[in-house]
Amino acid sequence: MAHTAGCLPLKELTATLQTYNIDFVQLALAKAIQDIDLSPGKLSPGLASYIGEQFDKAGIRIGVLGCYINPIHPDPAIRRVEIDRFKEHLRYARQFGAPMVATETGALTTFLESDPYRYEEIGWEALKATVEELAEEAEKWGVFLALEGVSTHTLSSPGKMRRILDEVPSSSIGVVLDPCNLIGEEVHLQDEIVDSSFSLFGDRIILAHLKDIYDDGSRIRHGASGRGLFHTTEFLNKLEAHKPMIDVSLEEVTGLDIKDTVNLLRNLRN
């Protein structure tokens, strides 16, 4: 994640990232770039190309634009603003050099208060409508809409990810596989959840996220990859078998930990 280095002026950001021995970044514009106004409506081919060129000069690809919206926001007006912001990212992704724009899918309980009996169905229909619209936009610009599942979100399981892929049959939709997010509290089922993911949609994975799972006794938390309860080596081997050379974004690391975490993960694969 580019903003792991902080929210910095663009050239300072790329210079800092260049020291981390990384190949690519996931770039969330507003979180990472301090000195350029990147609010909705500000993007243009020139601005996107300029930002992409600065990363290219540093030898770092922008593998994905992160535009994490709530695609099922219960207020239709706010949801429309979010969708339009995502569409803007889709339009200019190629100028950044990015083949995809990624988002999560909103809390599973979004409509629980308004309809305790049908809240999951209502959330699903809202998600499906949004995904259909965004997939159509992605197709126009030749980029991927990248969807990430989370155990507490609308796409809360491998089965539900498969379902959205079936119900919105667009080749412009890809999957961000974050195994720890899908595992949630079910740490004892992690191998089953990972294997199910590869079985159900392994061919549609276009990006992976990597972190680790830690048990503090009173709660499960996420942290830097490689030293927790997640079966990292096994996951990386499975990922390589299904999607060789796929990009992997590291999460839950600080600037001070990035080099050590990158080196640790490289050694796991040697």
Side-chain angles (χ1 to χ4, degrees):
M1 305 291 180
H3 57 275
T4 301
C7 185
L8 302 170
L10 177 59
K11 292 185 178 180
E12 183 180 343
L13 176 68
T14 56
T16 301
L17 292 169
Q18 197 174 23
T19 68
Y20 291 155
N21 190 27
I22 56 176
D23 304 305
F24 93 109
V25 291
Q26 178 166 326
L27 178 62
L29 296 172
K31 290 184 178 181
I33 300 174
Q34 183 187 83
D35 59 337
I36 301 174
D37 183 358
L38 293 162
S39 56
K42 298 295 184 180
L43 288 180
S44 67
L47 176 55
S49 295
Y50 172 74
I51 293 171
E53 287 164 4
Q54 302 311 305
F55 278 88
D56 187 59
K57 288 176 182 178
I60 300 171
R61 286 183 298 109
I62 302 173
V64 51
L65 290 182
C67 184
Y68 280 65
I69 66 170
N70 183 354
I72 63 166
H73 197 287
D75 184 327
I78 295 176
R79 186 160 73 237
R80 172 49 50 194
V81 171
E82 294 276 84
I83 290 171
D84 289 346
R85 181 164 67 92
F86 198 96
K87 283 185 171 182
E88 184 180 28
H89 280 65
L90 288 171
R91 287 198 297 275
Y92 296 108
R94 284 292 184 185
Q95 275 71 46
F96 286 96
M100 69 185 82
V101 185
T103 186
E104 293 173 354
T105 60
L108 184 64
T109 57
T110 296
F111 297 95
L112 176 60
E113 186 175 342
S114 60
D115 194 327
Y117 301 102
R118 297 181 57 253
Y119 70 94
E120 287 193 46
E121 179 184 347
I122 296 168
W124 184 267
E125 290 306 314
L127 176 66
K128 182 179 176 182
T130 298
V131 169
E132 286 174 337
E133 183 174 347
L134 294 181
E136 181 180 3
E137 189 74 15
E139 289 173 0
K140 292 177 183 178
W141 302 99
V143 294
F144 288 102
L145 161 61
L147 298 177
E148 179 180 349
V150 181
S151 64
T152 56
H153 288 188
T154 311
L155 295 184
S156 59
S157 68
K160 287 183 178 178
M161 181 64 77
R162 182 66 257 173
R163 179 184 170 190
I164 198 68
L165 294 173
D166 290 339
E167 292 190 8
V168 188
S170 170
S171 58
S172 68
I173 301 174
V175 176
V176 177
L177 177 57
D178 186 323
C180 292
N181 277 356
L182 279 176
I183 291 164
E185 301 285 325
E186 304 291 338
V187 182
H188 62 294
L189 297 177
Q190 61 173 294
D191 292 328
E192 179 181 329
I193 292 169
V194 167
D195 290 344
S196 179
S197 297
F198 284 118
S199 174
L200 290 172
F201 53 80
D203 60 324
R204 301 293 292 274
I205 299 169
I206 55 176
L207 180 73
H209 284 176
L210 194 59
K211 48 183 174 273
D212 218 321
I213 301 170
Y214 296 85
D215 188 346
D216 286 346
S218 60
R219 68 183 183 98
I220 297 294
R221 67 172 179 86
H222 291 156
S225 185
R227 296 184 175 88
L229 301 174
F230 181 59
H231 300 161
T232 303
T233 301
E234 292 87 340
F235 172 72
L236 290 175
N237 288 334
K238 292 171 184 177
L239 189 64
E240 179 69 16
H242 283 84
K243 289 290 181 176
M245 303 304 294
I246 193 170
D247 286 330
V248 180
S249 297
L250 298 182
E251 294 187 318
E252 302 292 339
V253 291
T254 65
L256 296 175
D257 296 331
I258 293 175
K259 289 182 181 179
D260 288 343
T261 302
V262 169
N263 289 336
L264 172 64
L265 294 173
R266 289 188 191 281
N267 290 333
L268 288 178
R269 299 291 298 126
N270 293 332

